[in-house]
Amino acid sequence: MSVTLKDVAQAARVSVSTASRALTGTGLTSERTQQRLTRIARELGYRPNPIARGLKTGQSRLVALLVHNLTNASFQVMAEVVQARLKALGYQMLLCIGGDDTQQESDTLTTLVDHRIDGLIVVPTGKNGAQLEALAKDVPIVCLVRRDDATDLETVLADDPQGAYLGTRHLIELGHKRIGLIVGRQDTTSGRERLSGYVRALREAGIAKDDTLIHAGHFVPETGATCARKLLDLPRPPSAIFVANHEATLGVLRVTAERNIAIPDDLSLLCYEDMPWFEWHRPAISIVDNGARDLANLAVDRLLHRMDAKGNGSDGVREYRVGARLVQRDSCRRIEATSAARAGKPKSAASKSKSSAAKPAKV
Amino acid sequence: MSVTLKDVAQAARVSVSTASRALTGTGLTSERTQQRLTRIARELGYRPNPIARGLKTGQSRLVALLVHNLTNASFQVMAEVVQARLKALGYQMLLCIGGDDTQQESDTLTTLVDHRIDGLIVVPTGKNGAQLEALAKDVPIVCLVRRDDATDLETVLADDPQGAYLGTRHLIELGHKRIGLIVGRQDTTSGRERLSGYVRALREAGIAKDDTLIHAGHFVPETGATCARKLLDLPRPPSAIFVANHEATLGVLRVTAERNIAIPDDLSLLCYEDMPWFEWHRPAISIVDNGARDLANLAVDRLLHRMDAKGNGSDGVREYRVGARLVQRDSCRRIEATSAARAGKPKSAASKSKSSAAKPAKV
DNA sequence: CGCTAGACTGCAAACGATTGCAAAAAGCTA
DNA sequence: TAGCTTTTTGCAATCGTTTGCAGTCTAGCG
């Protein structure tokens, strides 16, 4: 079917081994044959068969990226970054969707190693630590975004404590004293870390932590809606909400829209992680950017380092933190000390609620 | 490193070939040895090396999905569907991001074929027709979502004419007579087809086509904003806008927010293709669903069929159309014949525009 | 001119599976 | 038990590369 090394060798009237050496440039061939062979190879349209090569060398030029889903905007940009970087180096990215499902992750990992991937970047579910640890003996692995506490694999993380601190401080600097927090489940690292950053900012500012203002839950829009309602129904509702749980933002926005709460006039809103539509939304939504691009880039760097280092790529560092940064848009507003109590009350009487009753979708 | 067939054979005191036959179940071995060998293989933790197997068989159990990007929500669900389906069949999905870039697509295609993928589902850019055609000789290929007119590859398409017709008719049935259309570039199939569906619905309803209401442009939010402004600045602005260009929706929404135009009271809005946040938006945005799930499933079906059929999987059908359907949410409103002229004028004087001036984002 | 070192090259054995062919074993009939 | 068919097995080649080893060639030197 396709032209093989043998064909090239025949055309050049040399042995296969010479052809191989000339084309891979192992320097053991004369300048002349080397050039002649590259020319002939090009003319014949020869492209080495990675399978055959892989069989012999045990490498595949394949690097896998294993993420939970692709709905998460951060994963999207990470995938794109990783793909671009690897491609430039002649690797092909294998993007796998593990679905945050332990069994599936495990299966996928096995398949990947069977395929002799040269490296792996994984967002661990945290339940396959042992397996990951075992695989790490065969394949360079870097963990991304999440740490698997059962392993001591090299991990590239967002600086969630700092990000949450940054965001909370920003709101405090704008004069907010009652800041609602909607955060991820506390059995995840990021959930805990973001909470801790929030608490630290509060403490530094001398604001007492009020547990009624803090809600933790799953990474789904419904959570956002439920939490938002609870917050807004408080006797003294917050003047700002920090949604430190990406997917929950949708739910929060829906509730504010339903209740006709104007952002940022009636309520300041700050979110964690960007979504493409945040800056198109009116008001454009301010965020704490977790630095997905940087995370991905760093993960690739580290992985490549390990792959080069053949076995002992560890530089002793086990954990890398990528700084978060604040992106101010239009959803947070300065508040005067006195007007804090105004929050939560719609500025105009709800007069347009008529059309809110959702029509059931017809086929 | 890992346990090979040879190890299994040795442990069982048979030859490698027997082991191979027993484990692949070619039926040429006695029941007893077969069972004995599977047991031993399991005990030893044997897993066949796909690389070695691939070298011999020319197959890789790898199927590639080549899309433009992952930002597009439709591509996300397609990727997830394809992955799930293939996985169940023991294939590993290679998700590649071609970036709508001709050269990159071409490179990727080459790499994929080198890796001896067993099948390919591709959203063609439309510029590498010749290459695709050539590859199709080696690998089963199914095109998805877009047709490459330079080829006669089997293609699974959304029924864009029907979808656009459905959407437009829906608006007409709600009483709209002046319906703005924001559609993709007219050098893409979907752009043309959606326009044609729109035109047909108009014609059927006896409404004259008004070219000032039709805008075509790139698939980016900016386009949406520009087109929306043009439409709303018209002497007789439309009472409904059909955004038949996915990415443009963001831009349209921004403009309506800026101008304080209430949806659906002042303007009905209907979009093409779903986005996860559409149903969380207030008002929830009605859409024409292009059936991404169905598309992906059908593409997989067709691909598998071709892969099985070894060479002549063509059933004569060159093109499959997956029906679109209307999902009614809250962004379209019935309009009385008389009040059509009201559209475009904000119902209340712009009083809250103060905070609209975007603060420039600080680092 | 002969000899040796060094630079190139080719032979052949891997890598880990699959598979055609022929030999061995088993089952059957007479 | 011989003779035949039908399973079942093993040998060895093969897929397309890479690579250790040994052989060939050239050049340089005395």
Side-chain angles (χ1 to χ4, degrees), chain B residues 178 210 212-213 230-238 341 343-345:
Chain B
R178 292 185 62 72
D210 178 346
T212 61
L213 289 177
K230 285 197 195 133
L231 285 172
L232 295 170
D233 285 342
L234 246 33
R236 287 182 55 213
K345 292 186 197 153

Side-chain angles (χ1 to χ4, degrees), chain A residues 90-171:
Chain A
Y91 289 94
Q92 181 65 42
M93 175 182 76
L94 264 170
L95 178 49
C96 302
I97 307 166
D100 208 350
D101 168 329
T102 312
Q103 184 55 46
Q104 190 174 344
E105 179 186 50
S106 172
D107 290 350
T108 308
L109 286 173
T110 312
T111 318
L112 290 177
V113 182
D114 281 352
H115 274 284
R116 299 297 186 274
I117 50 168
D118 292 349
L120 170 66
I121 300 179
V122 57
V123 181
T125 61
K127 305 280 178 53
N128 289 312
Q131 189 182 11
L132 276 175
E133 192 88 351
L135 296 187
K137 296 204 183 76
D138 293 345
V139 181
I141 298 185
V142 170
C143 293
L144 184 59
V145 174
R146 285 210 210 165
R147 149 163 289 298
D148 185 330
D149 293 317
T151 73
D152 61 344
L153 294 170
E154 194 166 319
T155 305
V156 174
L157 293 172
D159 197 339
D160 278 340
Q162 179 229 5
Y165 170 79
L166 232 52
T168 312
R169 199 184 60 184
H170 174 58
L171 290 171

Side-chain angles (χ1 to χ4, degrees), chain A residues 122-293:
Chain A
V122 57
V123 181
T125 61
K127 305 280 178 53
N128 289 312
Q131 189 182 11
L132 276 175
E133 192 88 351
L135 296 187
K137 296 204 183 76
D138 293 345
V139 181
I141 298 185
V142 170
C143 293
L144 184 59
V145 174
R146 285 210 210 165
R147 149 163 289 298
D148 185 330
D149 293 317
T151 73
D152 61 344
L153 294 170
E154 194 166 319
T155 305
V156 174
L157 293 172
D159 197 339
D160 278 340
Q162 179 229 5
Y165 170 79
L166 232 52
T168 312
R169 199 184 60 184
H170 174 58
L171 290 171
I172 294 174
E173 283 170 357
L174 287 177
H176 295 277
K177 299 244 182 319
R178 291 185 62 73
I179 300 172
L181 178 72
I182 300 177
V183 70
R185 292 204 328 271
Q186 289 301 298
D187 59 350
T188 66
T189 321
S190 65
R192 285 194 301 274
E193 290 186 347
R194 292 182 190 177
L195 176 58
S196 80
Y198 166 88
V199 171
R200 179 160 72 92
L202 248 44
R203 195 174 46 230
E204 270 188 18
I207 301 178
K209 173 180 156 202
D210 178 347
D211 282 335
T212 62
L213 290 177
I214 299 174
H215 289 277
H218 254 295
F219 268 58
V220 287
E222 282 75 8
T223 304
T226 321
C227 297
R229 287 204 188 88
K230 284 195 196 133
L231 285 172
L232 294 170
D233 285 342
L234 246 35
R236 285 181 57 214
S239 62
I241 295 184
F242 187 7
V243 188
N245 174 337
H246 186 241
E247 307 278 335
T249 307
L250 287 171
V252 177
L253 282 177
R254 167 182 277 205
V255 171
T256 56
E258 275 173 3
R259 302 199 173 188
N260 218 14
I261 294 173
I263 296 172
D265 290 344
D266 300 334
L267 179 73
S268 288
L269 187 67
L270 180 62
C271 298
Y272 214 103
E273 295 185 46
D274 210 353
M275 297 217 207
W277 53 276
F278 276 2
E279 59 172 318
W280 288 94
H281 188 267
R282 289 280 97 152
I285 296 174
S286 298
I287 58 150
V288 172
D289 178 3
N290 68 342
R293 289 211 111 66

Side-chain angles (χ1 to χ4, degrees), chain B residues 1 14 24 34 64 98 101 107 127 140 151 164 178 237 252 254 307 319 351-352:
Chain B
M1 182 169 70
V14 294
T24 49
Q34 179 148 347
D101 168 328
D107 290 351
K127 304 282 179 55
T151 73
R178 292 185 62 72
V252 177
R254 168 183 277 203
M307 285 166 54
E319 190 172 300
S351 64
K352 52 192 274 192

